Amino acid sequence: MTAEYRITESRLGGEPTLVVTAPGDRARAVLALRGATLLSWQVRSEVTGGLKELTDGYRDEKELLAQDGVRAGLLAPFPNRVADARYHYAGHEHDLLPGHHGDRLIYHGFVRESAFELTRADTTPDLARLLLRTTAIRPGAYSGYPFAIDLTVEYTLTADELSVDVRATNVGGTTAPYATGWHPYFTLSRPVDDLTLRIPAQTLIRTDASLIPLPGEDARVPLDDRPDMDFRMPRRLGDAVIDACYADLTPGPGGRIETVLADPATGEELRVRQHSGYLHVFTGDTLARDRRAAIALEPVEAMTDAFNRPDQTAALALAPGASRTFAFGVTYAGSADAS
């Protein structure tokens, strides 16, 4: 009988996890049920022949609970920041940090700390597919977000690929503003300085000192005008410090948008894919540990502070009973496969 993928239960300290293992130990992934968070993704390296860690996730329960760096966090119901933690929607003012004075920084939603449950698991000799679900987003559960959203996250693991589909359904009675994204940190060698990056984007989102996009069209600057941030052709990262959003992503065949991180020394590549949205890039210079050991390449549905932008209102709107899926993933290509 042909061996199939295996899914086993484990723990990270007191936090429940799921371990997915490919036949012959060709690939391995670990997911925490808290936030449906990817903790580790390893594949068989074409260079060394052994398993190679491709992400820099939370290493222990303390890190997962602290959420520093939002390592591989699923970002919902909003990615990145909401200016002053306030927004106006459908005639109502909402405060995500009521009664909070001083630094009112809020970012990356709250689903990354919510409890998920495994509702389905399928394994074959070629892949494992897990469906995780949370009903945590309900009126009264989170300040400033009086909407009801059911969220399912489908992870699919193969020998060289990880795919993620995030599906949101509005189970409430009013239209909700909603967007999602993913905040993984990828690594092929440490630090990231010698890696090359290619981003198929035409536009950079311009921000103020608080990383909030400028109003209207002032937020968009052609990359022809910002050669220092232009990665349309593969370029060594070097000492570049990046915490920025890229827009007008150019799809390739089949509508697939691919951002490519490569190690010229080995020929290995990571190809981060999405079919829509934006890409946020963060070189990890302000992380509490292992700065610049990995780079965050974040597929997101909407730009930062989308809840406060009239040009994003239609894209955010999730009507009662409606569902929307944002799909993304990453593929590893070894030296023999790199092109």
Side-chain angles (χ1 to χ4, degrees), residues 60 74 160 169 173 310 334:
D60 53 41
L74 291 170
D160 59 3
T169 302

Side-chain angles (χ1 to χ4, degrees), residues 4-335:
E4 294 192 349
Y5 277 68
R6 303 189 312 275
I7 301 173
T8 56
E9 296 181 353
S10 187
R11 302 192 81 81
L12 183 72
E15 292 291 321
T17 63
L18 300 168
V19 180
V20 185
T21 308
D25 291 327
R26 292 174 296 155
R28 183 177 184 269
V30 183
L31 299 168
L33 291 185
R34 179 181 291 272
T37 306
L38 179 71
L39 300 175
S40 170
W41 177 47
Q42 299 173 302
V43 300
R44 180 73 57 81
S45 169
E46 296 288 342
V47 177
T48 66
L51 286 177
K52 181 183 181 79
E53 180 62 66
L54 299 173
T55 64
D56 191 1
Y58 296 123
R59 295 179 178 176
D60 53 41
E61 180 184 16
K62 182 179 178 180
E63 284 195 351
L64 175 63
L65 295 178
Q67 289 284 302
D68 182 75
V70 193
R71 296 175 183 268
L74 291 170
L75 317 178
F78 54 88
N80 296 305
R81 305 177 182 212
V82 176
D84 198 40
R86 294 184 173 96
Y87 66 99
H88 182 91
Y89 194 77
H92 298 280
E93 296 289 341
H94 299 284
D95 188 345
L96 297 162
L97 293 174
H100 191 87
H101 303 287
D103 184 4
R104 289 178 53 83
L105 175 63
I106 191 167
Y107 53 87
H108 298 327
F110 24 76
V111 163
R112 57 193 170 94
E113 299 186 78
S114 299
F116 279 75
E117 62 177 348
L118 179 66
T119 60
R120 183 174 176 179
D122 299 308
T123 59
T124 73
D126 300 315
L127 61 82
R129 181 171 290 122
L130 298 83
L131 190 68
L132 299 104
R133 179 173 181 264
T134 186
T135 58
I137 303 178
R138 290 294 187 270
Y142 299 99
S143 298
Y145 196 79
F147 307 102
I149 306 288
D150 281 0
L151 205 67
T152 61
V153 182
E154 184 179 89
Y155 279 96
T156 303
L157 181 74
T158 69
D160 59 3
E161 190 169 270
L162 183 72
S163 301
V164 189
D165 289 13
V166 182
R167 182 177 178 83
T169 302
N170 185 344
V171 295
T174 59
T175 298
Y178 167 86
T180 191
W182 191 36
H183 202 289
Y185 290 84
F186 294 114
T187 182
L188 288 168
S189 67
R190 300 185 177 208
V192 298
D193 303 38
D194 289 330
L195 302 181
T196 64
L197 180 63
R198 179 172 67 84
I199 306 171
Q202 304 304 313
T203 303
L204 183 73
I205 300 300
R206 183 161 37 193
T207 65
D208 63 18
S210 299
L211 300 180
I212 299 299
L214 300 184
E217 284 302 309
D218 288 342
R220 308 173 71 87
V221 56
L223 280 166
D224 287 340
D225 297 340
R226 287 295 307 271
D228 59 316
M229 297 290 283
D230 188 354
F231 289 87
R232 285 175 289 184
M233 296 297 293
R235 219 178 84 199
R236 182 176 177 270
L237 281 164
D239 59 0
V241 175
I242 305 172
D243 192 351
C245 184
Y246 288 81
D248 298 323
L249 304 176
T250 303
R256 182 166 163 148
I257 300 161
E258 285 195 337
T259 297
V260 181
L261 183 70
D263 185 350
T266 64
E268 295 170 294
E269 291 183 348
L270 288 173
R271 301 170 182 168
V272 180
R273 68 182 180 279
Q274 59 195 102
H275 290 272
S276 61
Y278 301 75
L279 181 83
H280 199 99
V281 179
F282 173 49
T283 45
D285 302 88
T286 57
L287 292 174
R289 70 150 168 88
D290 295 340
R291 298 176 182 182
R292 297 186 70 87
I295 181 171
L297 301 174
E298 312 161 33
V300 292
E301 269 194 296
M303 70 168 70
T304 299
D305 200 32
F307 277 23
N308 284 308
R309 298 186 65 88
D311 57 354
Q312 298 280 301
T313 300
L316 293 173
L318 189 62
S323 296
R324 189 164 75 238
T325 299
F326 187 54
F328 44 85
V330 56
T331 302
Y332 166 80
S335 57

